[in-house]
Structures are given as structure tokens and as C-alpha cells.
Amino acid sequence: MPDRCSVLRPFALSVLVAALAARADAATVVIANHTTAPVAVEVGSAGAKLSQMIAPGDSIPFFSGTPLTATYGAGLNRKSEALAADAIYRFVSHTLGGHTGVELRRIGLTGEVMGAPNPAAWRTGAGPSDAPVKVIVCVDDDEPMREAQWQSRLTQRLKKASEIVERQSGVKFVPVGFQTWQSNNAVTDFTQSFREFENTITPPEDAIAIGFTSQYSLQLGRQHMGGTRGPLRRHVMLREWSPRISEAERIELLVHELGHYLGAGHSPEAASVMRPVLGDRPVRLRSEVVRFDPVNTLAIAMVGEEVRRRGVRDLAGITQSRRNRLQQVYTTLSSLTPGEPAGVALLRRLAQVGGDGKAEDSGAVTSDDRSEAAAAAVIEAVTRAAASNQKRDFDARLKGDELTDELVRAAAGAADDPKGFVIGVGIAIDNSGALRMNPRTRAAVEGIEPDRQRRQRLNLLGKPTARGREDLVKHFFVSAAMTALLGEKEAYLWGFGKELADATREGGSGFSFADLAADRAGVRFAKGVLAGNPPTAGLATSFRIDNYLPAIDGLPEGLPLNDVVKTYGGQGDPRFNAQIEEIDRRIEALPAYSLMRLGLP
């Protein structure tokens, strides 16, 4: 049973929105209570005010198209503060002169510059009001209950989960239909099951599909219980049957995944429904309340506002200012949950939406027949060259940059197609398997080089480097291959995402602008080769990695994510852009490209 404040919240939110921002694109403010007692607060503007009691541990969003103030305390201790748009505040205990009271403090996000509240940031604009998210509820053919029973069971679960999410996002999820899909009983991997669900169930354009699979029982230990592709993606799937999971835990899991749908990431707060591992606390108890943490409350409230008032159904439709704010949310969550990939994945998903608001296609790619054959020939040539090098006396074997130069020349000599050369040399020089691990390039790469040939190549390859470093040569050639397979923008995104992961993963190497230099140099190299300048015939006789990868002296490396954001902001920040511009300047100053501009071969 929800507590009293939880019951009042939906009504309170609707009153405030109706009074201050009816049929408007409102801004959001979240107020959390980090004290041990309920706190009374009055939130509103001159036109309308709302008295709200916030329970300990709660985070409540308020929506408005006009600037809000928060008034709290009593008597001489009564205070009133202007609130910033799309911001988070928390009540904390405060002792002064022997008197203990509460104080409202703003929570800063990573990369946020907290100045005085800007009244202009409270947005207004026409739009549909409170549009719900339509849901097609699905089960697979292993569902044991009769149709009427499972439809009733899952409708009730969705209703309860929706009530929890609605209290903190304003979004209601409404079932509008039911479907069943045939699941392959031979599949036991969650990712494969999810892909099967996506390929089988196609919800209407204005709806999402939530699937509950019963095809296999759960084992002991940490399990992948549910998933979605990311914010506002149209499929959510959850595992269903296990005698060890209570209905209360199933509701919490559904709330967790609906949170992901609305843009929430994983949180380090143990009481948050968005903690990475569920099933670790007694949600079975009636006194246990399912809550979002303050940072994720802001995320789902902002995305929820876009969904219910502007009818947005994908990240590309979200306003740029809110995408920028979400970037700060996800950067904060990533820094607080090192080792968890969710924050980095969300940042990459945001980065895939360009400044024009268009999302990049996330489908897998395949290479054309000519390029595939050429790439295979290139890999064979590199393998032969590596084998020849291994036959030399140990002291005479090529190593490092010299080995790279030799292998690339052999690759270029075997290439009769520029695209095939770039793809093939990218596969052949890399020993990390990055192209195989990328879901968009995996099929193409596996089709070009079977596992047996890959093992043979890796046994012979040796240790090629660029500027004396093994990591740089991988970044250079993988980025080049990414450019040929997916395009320039996707290659840049891969490099940026790799650095984010290195900066947030426990034991990671940190964010490296030197690695980004190798990424961007690889992209530049691929673009030139694909355009016929330089021609592969010339590379076969004169390639030197130093001519295509600039010196990395002075480029910052090993930076934790917090240091990156503090010093350079992020993508789009002038400080970050200055580093990228310096890298690009170094690349274009290389002999290979400066000679091209002079019209020399």
C-alpha cells in the first residue's frame, strides 16, 4: 500500500500543471527529502501554489511553464527560494544556534554551472496534454495460464507499475491490446530472446510492446531479468516465471524497465528502483515503497514531459536543451556507478542523435560482395606477411611501427578495391576484436574472416604499433574500418564511447585525447583512401604510419570522467572542441595531407 504522500502526489501534480502550465511544454524541478522526517513545502508562483508534504526518501517532480518558488519552514525560520528549471533540490537537516531545522539545497550535476535561476528557462508552448503511452502486452507461447487469466494478471501489474512511474514522471502507461509470440525453446540467452521478440512483435507506431517470456526458468545468481534498447525504444521484455520471485518484485522490475524507457539510468542509491541489481531488498513487505532517486526522477520527469505534452516518441524529438541536460544526468550517473555500462550506453545513445535532431540508423550492416572479397584477400596478404616475418631470425624480425608499415604495404598490394582494403586492413591489424564485438559490424566481419582464419592470423601477427604504442594502432585501423562500414559519424561515436567506457570502468585506462587523435586520424585516412587519395597502389610501396598519425605529445590521457567534465565539459563544450580542433590541425599538417593540398602525389 503506498504511503499517504504517494497517494496524494498524482492529484497534486495535476493541479499544479493545470494551474500553471495547462497544455504547455513545461519545465521541471525535482525536490527530494534527505532528512528523517516529512517536510512541508509550498511550491508555486503568484498565480497558483501547492502545499506538499514530502516523505523521507521521496523525490517529487513539479512541472510549470512559469518560474516557481519553494517556501518552507515556520515563523522566523520560514524561507522562500526561487527554483531553477530542470534542476534538482533536496531538503537536508540543518543546525544553527542550537536549533535544528531543514535547508533546501540544489544538487549539482556533473558539468553543470550553477548560477542564479533563469526565469526564461521555464518553457511554454502549445502541445497535447497528458497523452498516455499505449502498450501492447505480450506473452510468449510458454505462458502457462489461459488467455483471460494472463491478460488480467499482467494488466493489473502494468496498472500498479504505471501508478508508481506516473507519480514521478507524469506519464501513464495504458494497455490497448494483447499479443502472443512463438519463442524458440532452444534459445537461453536473454539478448537473443530479446532480438527474437523484436523481430516477431511490431507494435503500432503510437505504441510500445512489453513482452513477458516464460520459456525458461531462472537459475541462482545474478540474472538478466529485463531489458530495452534505451530511452523511448519500442520494445521492453522481462523474464516471467520463477517460484522465487514475488509479485511485488515483478512490479518493481517492471517499474525499473519503464524507468529505462523514460530515460532513467542505473543509480548507486540502494533504495532506488534504478539500482543495477534488483531482488536484494524486501519489496515483499507492505511498508517498502518503490522509489526513484532524485537524479533519475529528473530524467524521467523531463522525458515524460516531452512524451505526454509534446507527443515525443523517440530521442530525436526531444528538445536540444533537454538532451544537453540528459547528457549531464548520464555523465553524473556514469561517474557514480563505475563498471556499470548503462550510463555509457545512454551517453552513446544521446550522441547518436545529431544536432539536426535526426537519429542515426542502428541496424546491422553488411559489406557488398566486391568489398567483402577484397577485404578477405587483404587479410590473407597480411597473414602471409606476418608469417614471413615470423620465419626471420628473432633479431631480424620487424617490430612496432616498422611491422605496421610492412603489413599495411602488403595489404595495399593485394587490394583491388579501396573499401575492401580499408575494411580488410582494419580487421587484420586489430587483435582486440572490436569490430566483432560491435553488433552493427559483427555480421560483416564474421562473413569476411571465419574464426579459424582469425585464430591463425592472431598467432602470427606479432605486435604492430603506431607511434610506438599498440593501443594507437588499434584505434587508428578500427576507426578506419568503422568509417568504411558505417560512416564517418558512427566511427567518431565509437571512439568517443570507447573513451567514456575507459573513463568510467573500474580499472579503466581513463579518457585519452591521444586515443581520440588515433581515431580521428584513422577516419581521415579512410576518407582519403575511399576517395582515391592516397591510392592503394602508392600505399603498397610507401606507407608509413607516421605520415598518417600525428604526434600525440601534450594530449591529455588517463583522465577520470569527473576530470574530463570539470576541465573540458563534454562534446559541444568550447574547451572540448579546442582539443579536437588541435588534433585535427595536427592531422592536416601531416606530410601525407599537406602534400595533397599542394596537388603532389
Side-chain angles (χ1 to χ4, degrees), residues 154-198:
L154 296 178
T155 296
Q156 288 301 310
R157 186 184 305 170
L158 179 61
K159 178 182 177 182
K160 292 177 181 178
S162 177
E163 289 172 352
I164 295 169
V165 175
E166 186 182 5
R167 287 196 295 267
Q168 295 184 285
S169 70
V171 175
K172 180 182 295 184
F173 292 83
V174 178
V176 295
F178 303 92
Q179 289 189 36
T180 300
W181 84 95
Q182 299 289 320
S183 58
N184 183 352
N185 291 332
V187 174
T188 58
D189 176 73
F190 183 87
T191 301
Q192 293 181 26
S193 295
F194 186 89
R195 189 177 298 117
E196 178 184 66
F197 171 57
E198 285 181 307

Side-chain angles (χ1 to χ4, degrees), residues 163-402:
E163 289 172 352
I164 295 169
V165 175
E166 186 182 5
R167 287 196 295 267
Q168 295 184 285
S169 70
V171 175
K172 180 182 295 184
F173 292 83
V174 178
V176 295
F178 303 92
Q179 289 189 36
T180 300
W181 84 95
Q182 299 289 320
S183 58
N184 183 352
N185 291 332
V187 174
T188 58
D189 176 73
F190 183 87
T191 301
Q192 293 181 26
S193 295
F194 186 89
R195 189 177 298 117
E196 178 184 66
F197 171 57
E198 285 181 307
N199 293 336
T200 305
I201 299 293
T202 303
E205 288 295 326
D206 62 345
I208 67 171
I210 301 180
F212 299 85
T213 177
S214 305
Q215 73 178 73
Y216 36 73
S217 61
L218 301 178
Q219 306 299 318
L220 292 174
R222 183 172 178 176
Q223 299 288 325
H224 200 159
M225 292 291 297
T228 181
R229 294 289 184 192
L232 304 184
R233 300 301 290 266
R234 297 173 61 207
H235 290 80
V236 177
M237 194 179 83
L238 306 97
R239 288 179 170 174
E240 178 63 4
W241 286 104
S242 172
R244 299 189 307 276
I245 301 178
S246 69
E247 182 61 19
E249 289 173 306
R250 296 180 201 278
I251 292 171
E252 185 183 39
L253 175 61
L254 181 54
V255 171
H256 181 97
E257 296 304 333
L258 294 179
H260 279 316
Y261 171 79
L262 289 175
H266 285 161
S267 169
E269 294 196 19
S272 173
V273 70
M274 296 312 300
R275 63 197 186 280
V277 181
L278 301 183
D280 57 346
R281 66 190 185 97
V283 294
R284 296 178 180 85
L285 301 178
R286 294 171 66 87
S287 60
E288 190 71 22
V289 178
V290 177
R291 294 188 175 100
F292 287 84
D293 57 280
V295 176
N296 276 314
T297 298
L298 177 63
I300 66 174
M302 289 193 300
V303 175
E305 183 68 13
E306 301 270 337
V307 167
R308 65 193 180 92
R309 295 196 170 272
R310 296 182 58 242
V312 169
R313 288 296 181 264
D314 57 54
L315 277 179
I318 293 178
T319 57
Q320 183 63 52
S321 61
R322 275 200 163 137
R323 291 206 301 269
N324 293 342
R325 191 65 169 140
L326 285 171
Q327 183 181 44
Q328 293 174 338
V329 167
Y330 299 149
T331 303
T332 299
L333 292 174
S334 294
S335 66
L336 294 174
T337 54
E340 279 292 334
V344 173
L346 287 166
L347 283 167
R348 280 182 56 81
R349 185 72 66 185
L350 268 183
Q352 287 173 332
V353 181
D356 56 1
K358 295 180 180 178
E360 291 290 296
D361 179 18
S362 60
V365 298
T366 57
S367 56
D368 58 81
D369 291 343
R370 180 180 178 184
S371 296
E372 182 174 318
V378 164
I379 295 170
E380 289 179 8
V382 170
T383 303
R384 287 195 301 270
S388 296
N389 187 52
Q390 292 293 336
K391 292 177 181 178
R392 296 173 179 170
D393 292 339
F394 183 80
D395 291 340
R397 290 177 189 172
L398 298 176
K399 305 176 183 65
D401 287 21
E402 288 185 341

